[in-house]
Amino acid sequence: MAAEYPEDLKYHPEHDWARIEGDVATFGITWYAQDALGEVVFYDPPEVGATVSKDQTYAEVESVKAVSDVFAPLSGEIVEVNGALTDAPEKINSDPYGDGWLVKVRLSDQSELETLLDVAAYRDLLA
Amino acid sequence: MPSAAETLRRTALHDRHAAAGARLVPFAGWEMPVQYEGVRQEHLAVRRHAGVFDVSHMGEVETSGPDAEAFLQRLLSNDVTNLAEGGAQYSLLCREDGGVLDDLFTYRLPGAQPRFLTVTNASNHERDFAWLAEHAEGFDVTVTDAAERYAMLAVQGPEARAAVASLADGELPARMRTATLTVAGAECLICGTGYTGEDGVEVLVAPEQAAAVWDALLAAGVTPAGLAARDTLRLEACFHLYGNDLSLDRNPIEAGLGWACKLDTGFVGSEALRGFEPADALVPFAFTGPGIPRQGNPVRTEYGDGVVTSGTMSPCLEVGIGMAYVPAAAARPGTPIEVDVRGKPRAAEVRPKPLYKH
């Protein structure tokens, strides 16, 4: 699978993405992050209702060999977690921007959006 | 990322790994393939069919001369006089205090003069060779660093023997036996040993001929497998990994390797082990809920604390598995234990060896 970085997402330098829909954002990890980690075999989601803070870790994904912290690109309250990943964490590899989403968050500070990278800036970071 | 390639050693199969799309990583001073297609697929290919691992980073020491057997009997923990010509034997190399310097396979080679080949772990090879060489005084032996002479391929899995046999000019050796055969045109020392819990062989061959053997194995349908799968396979089979489950700080009795220590042979370290009552025991365990144990995770039991030495997600059992040193009273299979995985208590249970078997 070739590297892919959708135009409509916002990116965090720790290789996380956010899809903004009004005051709710979906978070996940980027193609680069899942490729570096290898096959994800375990996802430990946070609790619905928990608070996440921008630039802080809120979950862990693990491959056979390594653990990777997942950083919140934005602050807010978790309103949904992707329960399907408990049985099929490999979706994080096969569809990192679709079925491999991690959490949905009700944003607490819209001004943080400005700090995120657009796809061109994120690609520059990877280059 | 700065390239460390200049300082890392490459095996004779480096080009083959690159061509196969391997992810190459530094390992014990070598640039080694950690995976090709993916650790799960490679793991399952070995469990169901056959896989080939390049383990050329492992070292070899040749010991020859009239006193070779007496010398190795003094240095290795097992009874080397029980090692027949063409045989293979597992043993530990210990310090006087019983701390483990390495775990090793030794092969007694055929020939008029006594001749042994000992396979070392890559990270310990230089220390092992120095230790053996400095203890050779007083013995009529020649101890030679033979690591440059050999590439090593491990061909493992239920179909491994058939694949190697289809390329060989004679019958493969039985388990724990060796034979010199021509495989794909190359003279090879074939050993009925492995590190996966599957049937199979390990192949020692001159580095310049390794690619021919590799290519023929792949053409015969054997899957290239990396060090990541080697680790998950050996952990399911409960084989020790030096640096994780074995170290200078633990002796073979604690590690459950008393069977490979024949104290009456008087090997270096045997005095320290005589009458030793281990407070801790190395045990396999499996998680009974979510999570993946990792090396260094603290362990809590009803009888006291312990520590995880190896941990992974088992591709066959699909749960977290590992090995841990725990108080001896907690070593009985079925004993519930708790592993602290980065602050989260995870439920686990001591299991019998091996964790996975066909």
Side-chain angles (χ1 to χ4, degrees), chain A residues 32 34-42 44-45 59-69 86 90, chain B residues 23 34-35 37-41 227-228 231-232 290-294 311-313 315 341-342 344 346:
Chain A
Y32 175 89
Q34 66 77 30
D35 185 56
L37 190 61
E39 302 148 87
V40 176
V41 291
F42 185 58
D44 192 16
E60 290 173 346
V61 288
E62 298 193 47
S63 67
V64 169
K65 291 299 282 182
V67 186
S68 184
D69 283 320
T86 303
E90 66 275 9
Chain B
R23 187 172 298 204
V34 65
Q35 67 165 54
E37 292 297 312
V39 55
R40 282 182 79 86
Q41 288 130 284
L227 294 186
D231 190 53
T232 52
I292 306 177
R294 303 289 181 181
T312 195
M313 173 65 86
V341 182
R342 296 178 303 282
K344 287 185 187 163
R346 301 292 194 185

Coordinates of all heavy atoms in Angstrom, one line a residue, chain A residues 32 34-42 44-45 59-69 86 90, chain B residues 23 34-35 37-41 227-228 231-232 290-294 311-313 315 341-342 344 346:
Chain A
Y32 N 2.1 7.2 7.6 CA 3.5 7.2 8.0 C 3.6 6.5 9.4 O 4.4 5.6 9.6 CB 4.1 8.6 8.1 CG 5.5 8.6 8.7 CD1 6.6 8.4 7.8 CD2 5.7 8.7 10.0 CE1 7.9 8.4 8.3 CE2 7.0 8.7 10.5 CZ 8.1 8.5 9.7 OH 9.4 8.5 10.2
Q34 N 1.5 4.4 10.9 CA 1.1 2.9 10.9 C 2.2 2.1 10.2 O 2.5 1.0 10.6 CB -0.2 2.7 10.4 CG -0.5 3.0 8.9 CD 0.1 2.0 8.0 OE1 0.2 0.8 8.3 NE2 0.5 2.4 6.8
D35 N 2.8 2.7 9.2 CA 3.9 2.0 8.5 C 5.1 1.9 9.4 O 5.8 0.8 9.4 CB 4.2 2.8 7.2 CG 5.2 2.0 6.3 OD1 4.9 0.9 6.0 OD2 6.3 2.6 6.0
A36 N 5.5 2.9 10.1 CA 6.6 2.8 11.0 C 6.4 1.8 12.1 O 7.3 1.1 12.5 CB 6.9 4.2 11.6
L37 N 5.2 1.7 12.6 CA 4.9 0.8 13.7 C 4.8 -0.6 13.2 O 5.2 -1.5 13.9 CB 3.5 1.2 14.2 CG 3.1 0.6 15.5 CD1 4.0 0.9 16.7 CD2 1.7 1.2 15.9
G38 N 4.4 -0.9 12.0 CA 4.2 -2.2 11.5 C 2.8 -2.7 11.9 O 1.9 -1.9 12.4
E39 N 2.5 -4.0 11.7 CA 1.1 -4.5 11.9 C 0.6 -4.2 13.4 O 1.2 -4.7 14.3 CB 1.1 -6.0 11.7 CG 1.6 -6.4 10.3 CD 2.2 -7.7 10.4 OE1 1.5 -8.7 10.3 OE2 3.4 -7.8 10.6
V40 N -0.4 -3.5 13.5 CA -1.0 -3.2 14.8 C -1.7 -4.4 15.3 O -2.6 -4.9 14.6 CB -1.9 -1.9 14.7 CG1 -2.5 -1.7 16.1 CG2 -1.1 -0.7 14.3
V41 N -1.4 -4.8 16.5 CA -2.1 -6.0 17.1 C -2.8 -5.7 18.3 O -3.5 -6.6 18.9 CB -1.0 -7.1 17.4 CG1 -0.5 -7.7 16.0 CG2 0.1 -6.6 18.2
F42 N -2.8 -4.5 18.8 CA -3.5 -4.1 20.0 C -3.8 -2.6 20.0 O -2.9 -1.8 19.8 CB -2.8 -4.6 21.2 CG -3.5 -4.4 22.5 CD1 -4.8 -5.0 22.7 CD2 -3.0 -3.6 23.5 CE1 -5.4 -4.8 23.9 CE2 -3.7 -3.4 24.7 CZ -4.9 -4.0 24.9
D44 N -5.6 0.1 22.7 CA -6.1 0.3 24.0 C -6.8 1.7 24.1 O -6.2 2.7 24.2 CB -4.9 0.3 25.0 CG -5.4 0.2 26.5 OD1 -6.6 -0.1 26.7 OD2 -4.6 0.5 27.4
P45 N -8.1 1.7 23.9 CA -8.8 3.0 23.7 C -9.0 3.7 25.1 O -9.0 3.0 26.1 CB -10.1 2.6 23.1 CG -10.4 1.2 23.6 CD -9.0 0.5 23.7
A59 N -3.9 7.5 24.0 CA -4.1 6.0 23.8 C -2.8 5.4 23.4 O -1.8 6.1 23.2 CB -5.1 5.9 22.6
E60 N -2.8 4.1 23.3 CA -1.6 3.4 22.8 C -2.0 2.4 21.7 O -3.1 1.8 21.8 CB -1.0 2.6 24.0 CG -0.4 3.4 25.0 CD 0.1 2.6 26.2 OE1 -0.3 1.4 26.3 OE2 0.8 3.1 27.0
V61 N -1.2 2.4 20.7 CA -1.3 1.3 19.7 C 0.0 0.5 19.8 O 1.1 1.0 20.0 CB -1.6 1.8 18.3 CG1 -3.0 2.4 18.2 CG2 -0.5 2.8 17.9
E62 N -0.2 -0.8 19.6 CA 1.0 -1.7 19.7 C 1.1 -2.6 18.5 O 0.1 -3.2 18.0 CB 0.9 -2.6 21.0 CG 0.9 -1.8 22.3 CD 1.1 -2.6 23.5 OE1 2.0 -3.5 23.5 OE2 0.3 -2.5 24.4
S63 N 2.3 -2.7 18.0 CA 2.6 -3.8 17.0 C 3.2 -5.0 17.8 O 3.3 -4.9 19.1 CB 3.6 -3.3 16.0 OG 4.8 -3.0 16.6
V64 N 3.6 -6.0 17.1 CA 4.2 -7.1 17.8 C 5.4 -6.7 18.6 O 5.7 -7.1 19.7 CB 4.5 -8.3 16.8 CG1 5.4 -9.3 17.4 CG2 3.2 -8.9 16.3
K65 N 6.2 -5.8 17.9 CA 7.5 -5.4 18.5 C 7.5 -4.2 19.4 O 8.4 -4.0 20.1 CB 8.5 -5.2 17.3 CG 8.8 -6.4 16.6 CD 9.5 -7.5 17.5 CE 11.0 -7.2 17.8 NZ 11.6 -8.3 18.6
A66 N 6.5 -3.3 19.2 CA 6.7 -2.0 19.8 C 5.4 -1.4 20.3 O 4.3 -1.7 19.8 CB 7.3 -1.0 18.8
V67 N 5.5 -0.5 21.2 CA 4.3 0.3 21.7 C 4.5 1.7 21.2 O 5.6 2.3 21.2 CB 4.3 0.4 23.2 CG1 3.0 1.1 23.7 CG2 4.5 -1.0 23.8
S68 N 3.4 2.3 20.7 CA 3.5 3.7 20.3 C 2.4 4.5 21.0 O 1.2 4.1 21.0 CB 3.3 3.8 18.8 OG 3.4 5.1 18.3
D69 N 2.7 5.6 21.6 CA 1.8 6.5 22.1 C 1.1 7.3 21.0 O 1.7 7.6 20.0 CB 2.5 7.5 23.1 CG 2.8 6.9 24.4 OD1 2.0 6.1 24.9 OD2 3.9 7.2 24.9
T86 N -11.0 -3.3 18.7 CA -10.7 -4.2 19.7 C -10.5 -5.6 19.1 O -9.5 -6.3 19.4 CB -11.8 -4.3 20.8 OG1 -11.9 -3.0 21.3 CG2 -11.4 -5.2 21.9
E90 N -5.9 -4.4 13.1 CA -5.2 -4.2 11.9 C -5.9 -3.2 10.9 O -5.3 -2.8 9.9 CB -5.1 -5.6 11.2 CG -6.4 -6.3 10.7 CD -7.1 -7.0 11.8 OE1 -6.7 -7.0 13.0 OE2 -8.1 -7.7 11.5
Chain B
R23 N 12.5 -5.0 5.8 CA 12.9 -3.8 6.6 C 14.1 -4.2 7.4 O 14.1 -5.2 8.2 CB 11.7 -3.5 7.6 CG 11.9 -2.3 8.4 CD 10.6 -2.0 9.2 NE 9.5 -1.7 8.2 CZ 8.4 -1.0 8.6 NH1 8.3 -0.4 9.7 NH2 7.4 -0.8 7.7
V34 N 14.3 -7.5 9.8 CA 13.4 -7.7 10.9 C 12.1 -8.3 10.4 O 11.4 -9.1 11.1 CB 13.2 -6.4 11.8 CG1 12.5 -5.3 11.0 CG2 12.5 -6.7 13.1
Q35 N 11.7 -7.9 9.2 CA 10.5 -8.4 8.6 C 10.5 -8.2 7.1 O 11.2 -7.3 6.6 CB 9.2 -7.9 9.2 CG 8.9 -6.4 9.0 CD 7.5 -6.0 9.3 OE1 7.0 -6.3 10.4 NE2 6.8 -5.4 8.4
E37 N 7.2 -9.3 4.5 CA 5.8 -9.0 4.3 C 5.1 -8.5 5.6 O 4.2 -7.7 5.6 CB 5.0 -10.2 3.7 CG 5.4 -10.6 2.3 CD 5.1 -9.5 1.3 OE1 4.0 -9.0 1.3 OE2 6.0 -9.1 0.5
G38 N 5.5 -9.1 6.7 CA 4.9 -8.8 8.0 C 5.0 -9.9 8.9 O 5.0 -11.1 8.5
V39 N 5.2 -9.6 10.2 CA 5.6 -10.6 11.2 C 4.5 -11.7 11.3 O 4.8 -12.9 11.4 CB 5.9 -9.9 12.5 CG1 4.8 -9.1 13.0 CG2 6.3 -11.0 13.6
R40 N 3.2 -11.3 11.3 CA 2.2 -12.3 11.4 C 2.2 -13.3 10.3 O 2.1 -14.6 10.5 CB 0.8 -11.7 11.4 CG 0.4 -11.0 12.7 CD -1.0 -10.4 12.6 NE -2.0 -11.5 12.8 CZ -2.5 -11.9 13.9 NH1 -2.0 -11.4 15.1 NH2 -3.4 -12.8 14.0
Q41 N 2.3 -12.8 9.1 CA 2.3 -13.8 7.9 C 3.5 -14.7 8.0 O 3.4 -15.9 7.7 CB 2.3 -13.0 6.6 CG 1.0 -12.3 6.2 CD 1.3 -10.8 5.9 OE1 1.6 -10.0 6.8 NE2 1.3 -10.5 4.6
L227 N 13.6 -11.4 11.7 CA 13.9 -11.6 13.2 C 12.7 -11.4 14.1 O 12.7 -12.0 15.2 CB 15.1 -10.7 13.6 CG 16.5 -11.0 13.0 CD1 17.5 -10.0 13.6 CD2 16.9 -12.4 13.1
A228 N 11.8 -10.6 13.6 CA 10.6 -10.4 14.4 C 9.8 -11.6 14.6 O 9.3 -12.0 15.7 CB 9.7 -9.2 13.9
D231 N 11.4 -14.1 16.8 CA 11.2 -13.9 18.2 C 9.8 -14.3 18.7 O 9.7 -14.9 19.8 CB 11.4 -12.4 18.5 CG 11.4 -12.1 20.0 OD1 12.2 -12.7 20.7 OD2 10.6 -11.2 20.5
T232 N 8.8 -14.1 17.9 CA 7.5 -14.5 18.3 C 7.4 -16.0 18.3 O 6.7 -16.6 19.2 CB 6.3 -13.9 17.5 OG1 6.6 -14.2 16.1 CG2 6.2 -12.4 17.7
P290 N -7.0 -8.3 27.9 CA -6.3 -7.6 26.9 C -4.9 -7.2 27.4 O -4.6 -7.3 28.5 CB -7.2 -6.3 26.8 CG -7.9 -6.2 28.1 CD -8.1 -7.6 28.6
G291 N -4.1 -6.7 26.4 CA -2.8 -6.1 26.7 C -1.7 -7.0 26.1 O -1.9 -8.1 25.7
I292 N -0.5 -6.4 26.1 CA 0.7 -7.1 25.6 C 1.8 -6.8 26.6 O 2.1 -5.7 26.9 CB 1.1 -6.5 24.2 CG1 0.0 -6.6 23.2 CG2 2.4 -7.3 23.7 CD1 0.4 -6.0 21.8
P293 N 2.4 -7.9 27.2 CA 3.5 -7.7 28.1 C 4.7 -7.3 27.4 O 4.9 -7.7 26.2 CB 3.6 -9.1 28.8 CG 3.1 -10.0 27.8 CD 2.1 -9.3 27.0
R294 N 5.6 -6.6 28.0 CA 6.9 -6.2 27.4 C 8.0 -6.4 28.5 O 7.8 -6.4 29.7 CB 6.9 -4.7 27.0 CG 5.8 -4.3 26.1 CD 6.0 -4.9 24.7 NE 4.9 -4.5 23.8 CZ 4.8 -4.8 22.5 NH1 5.8 -5.7 22.0 NH2 3.9 -4.5 21.7
G311 N 8.2 -10.5 26.2 CA 6.7 -10.4 26.0 C 6.4 -10.0 24.6 O 7.1 -9.3 23.9
T312 N 5.2 -10.5 24.1 CA 4.8 -10.2 22.8 C 3.3 -10.5 22.7 O 2.7 -11.0 23.6 CB 5.6 -10.9 21.7 OG1 5.4 -10.3 20.4 CG2 5.2 -12.4 21.6
M313 N 2.7 -10.2 21.5 CA 1.4 -10.7 21.2 C 1.6 -12.0 20.4 O 2.3 -12.0 19.4 CB 0.6 -9.7 20.3 CG -0.7 -10.1 19.8 SD -1.9 -10.4 21.0 CE -2.6 -8.8 21.3
P315 N 1.0 -14.6 17.8 CA 0.2 -14.7 16.5 C -0.7 -15.9 16.5 O -1.8 -15.9 15.9 CB 1.2 -14.7 15.4 CG 2.4 -14.0 16.0 CD 2.4 -14.4 17.5
V341 N 1.6 -3.2 33.0 CA 2.0 -2.8 31.7 C 1.8 -1.2 31.6 O 0.7 -0.7 31.5 CB 1.1 -3.4 30.6 CG1 1.6 -3.0 29.2 CG2 1.2 -4.9 30.7
R342 N 2.9 -0.6 31.8 CA 2.9 0.9 31.8 C 1.8 1.5 32.7 O 1.0 2.3 32.3 CB 2.8 1.4 30.4 CG 4.1 1.0 29.6 CD 4.0 1.5 28.1 NE 2.8 1.0 27.5 CZ 2.6 -0.2 27.0 NH1 3.6 -1.1 27.1 NH2 1.5 -0.5 26.4
K344 N -0.9 0.0 33.9 CA -2.2 -0.8 33.9 C -2.0 -2.2 34.3 O -1.2 -2.9 33.8 CB -2.7 -0.7 32.4 CG -3.2 0.6 32.1 CD -3.9 0.6 30.7 CE -4.3 2.1 30.4 NZ -4.5 2.2 29.0
R346 N -2.6 -5.9 34.3 CA -3.2 -6.8 33.3 C -3.2 -8.2 33.9 O -2.2 -8.7 34.5 CB -2.3 -6.8 32.1 CG -2.2 -5.5 31.4 CD -3.6 -5.0 30.8 NE -3.4 -3.9 29.9 CZ -4.4 -3.3 29.3 NH1 -5.7 -3.6 29.6 NH2 -4.2 -2.3 28.5

